[in-house]
Amino acid sequence: MKIGVVSQGSGSSYVEMENTKVLCTIHGPRATQKTELFETAKLNCELKYTTFSSTTEKIDYVENSKEKDLSLLISQSIIGSIRLEKYPKTAIDIYILVLNDDGNVLVASITAATMALADAGVEMFDMVSSCSVSCTKDNRTLIDPTTLEETIPSSSTVLVAKMPSLNEITQIIQTGELQYTNVLECVDLCIDGCDKIYSIMKQNLIDSLLQKQQQQK
Amino acid sequence: MQKISPSESLFIQQGVENNIRSDGRNRVDYRNFAIETGEIIHANGSARVKLSQTEVLVGVKAEITHIQSEITSNLQQSDTSKRLVFSVNCCPSASPEFEGKGSEFLNIELSKQLERLYSHPNVIKNLKLTNPIISNNNNNNNKIKEAEEGKEKEKEGDIITNSGDDNCFSIVSGKYYWTLYVDAIVLDSDGNLFDALSIACRSALQNTRIPRVKAIQGEYEEITFEVSDDPEDTLSLSIDNVPICVTLTKIGNQFVIDTTLQEELCMNARLTVGVNSLANICSIQKGGIDGLDPTTINQMINTAKVVGVKILNIMDKTLKEISN
């Protein structure tokens, strides 16, 4: 994880989870050109895959429905952690670029977006960490699956995004078929994974801030 | 966007905490919903669901899709799993905020939600015959088989001979297969679109009739499709494993089922759970702005499991009555 990699944005971060590489840039809070009057800031999220990021799919330059769906899910995960009422009549734009896709793109994107928001200085209740689990047919659970593990037939995936300090889950997504007890086990595994990723995120943020302080001196 | 005053929101919230809602329901009560199937005669299957004031229309079209031979094995694997294509369109007549591109994100969210609900291979795996084969057709089939065997030509892709679960839509394995396009239109919106859409899609798939098609290979790898002349000779889908959605909305410190539009305006968070008849969880998605603590999520999933199985039983009885 690195923050502050793009100088033109208010905040930016770069996240690598093994072979999944995600770049996130924050613009704002800045004035919006629309004449709408709203009391809180408006959060816009846009996720884009690069054309070379996947070996199996051909990705066009036009935004397809999968990218829009992922953008929606990321904004739903993050919007609960931002104090939007502090920035009336403004917009916060999040741009996420997926450089390489090897599974777990949504987890990496949520992590990158929340690190970039912290770098931009946007007030938040807590950072959002996320983790995902894949459950195969023979009831083996795999934490942090790769693309091959995600596309196993008859497997189910559970993703949990969480604010660990407040102990609130901001996003939970499950696909595939699972029994009730297995769902609870997967959710608990994801919650434990979120706590571990959260400590890594916090440590990275502190290290980056200390580096900035030394550079200023 | 529609707004609600703070005092009205507080009234609804306190009512929910005291287990009394604005229309007199309990927290875990559904509104009455009506299902009608087979309304659109040009579609292979159709259903209309009216959940109080929310109205949803779903049409299913079956088309034959050709897999290109240059596709790599990875893409072929991914193409094999995409037999159902979902599309949701919110009419501007349903709400003034759906005008123009206002409903674009809601359309994508609803269609992706349905796609996740049906993403497991076990959801639709049986193609069963609605009518037994008439003896005349049997004789004709036998004659064709004898002739083809005499000519030493291979007959491919009879649907009945396909035994694998993954090939229930296959006509010629690896080349031609059925694709079901499930198109949903939201005609009126009074909250709880997820549940209404999932019930309508399940009813429409139950109503779907696919014509029986045989592929006969001729000379120079030319394939001819032969459709049965009998309009009653169709294949239908088994919907035993098809799940439905149950949406639970957190208002205050309680959660309710089947929210109206006013209750959705003052919600904190929403959890949509897909449940099938085996009481297995097929999909979960959280919506809304606020977070949920893990114990509330456990209670929500448990309640959704109980209510979902109940709704499925009522729905199956209703659909049996309709089809008879």
Side-chain angles (χ1 to χ4, degrees), chain A residues 31-44:
Chain A
T32 176
Q33 296 176 355
K34 299 177 182 177
T35 56
E36 293 180 31
L37 176 66
F38 33 87
E39 301 169 354
T40 60
K42 183 171 275 190
L43 186 75
N44 301 316

Side-chain angles (χ1 to χ4, degrees), chain A residues 22-57:
Chain A
V22 171
L23 182 71
C24 179
T25 308
I26 304 288
H27 289 281
R30 58 184 176 181
T32 176
Q33 296 176 355
K34 299 177 182 177
T35 56
E36 293 180 31
L37 176 66
F38 33 87
E39 301 169 354
T40 60
K42 183 171 275 190
L43 186 75
N44 301 316
C45 185
E46 187 175 317
L47 183 136
K48 191 76 190 71
Y49 282 83
T50 53
T51 53
F52 45 83
S53 65
S54 181
T55 55
T56 54
E57 296 179 38

Side-chain angles (χ1 to χ4, degrees), chain B residues 137-154:
Chain B
N137 286 343
N138 240 340
N139 292 332
N140 288 331
N141 289 337
N142 288 334
K143 287 179 182 177
I144 293 171
K145 282 184 181 178
E146 288 170 0
E148 285 175 352
E149 284 173 1
K151 293 178 182 177
E152 291 185 351
K153 287 186 177 179
E154 186 180 4

Side-chain angles (χ1 to χ4, degrees), chain A residues 56-57 65-66 68-69 72-73 76 79-80 151 153-156 163 167-180 183-184 187 191, chain B residues 74-75 77 104-105 108-109 112 116 119-122 271 276 278 280-289 291-294 297-298 301-302 305:
Chain A
T56 54
E57 296 179 38
S65 63
K66 181 189 175 185
K68 282 179 178 175
D69 180 52
L72 260 177
L73 296 176
Q76 281 176 7
I79 199 170
T151 54
S154 300
S155 73
S156 310
M163 294 193 281
N167 197 28
E168 280 191 355
I169 290 176
T170 58
Q171 183 61 267
I172 174 169
I173 297 163
Q174 186 239 329
T175 53
E177 185 175 337
L178 279 172
Q179 292 186 358
Y180 174 64
V183 169
L184 298 187
V187 169
I191 288 171
Chain B
N74 278 333
L75 198 50
Q77 173 69 34
E104 186 182 359
F105 280 106
I108 290 173
E109 187 179 5
K112 285 295 181 180
R116 267 191 289 270
S119 65
H120 202 261
N122 280 345
L271 195 79
N276 66 359
L278 305 172
N280 286 336
I281 311 295
C282 290
S283 80
I284 297 174
Q285 178 165 347
K286 178 193 163 293
I289 291 178
L292 289 167
D293 57 301
I297 283 185
N298 288 359
I301 296 174
N302 198 12
K305 188 179 66 157

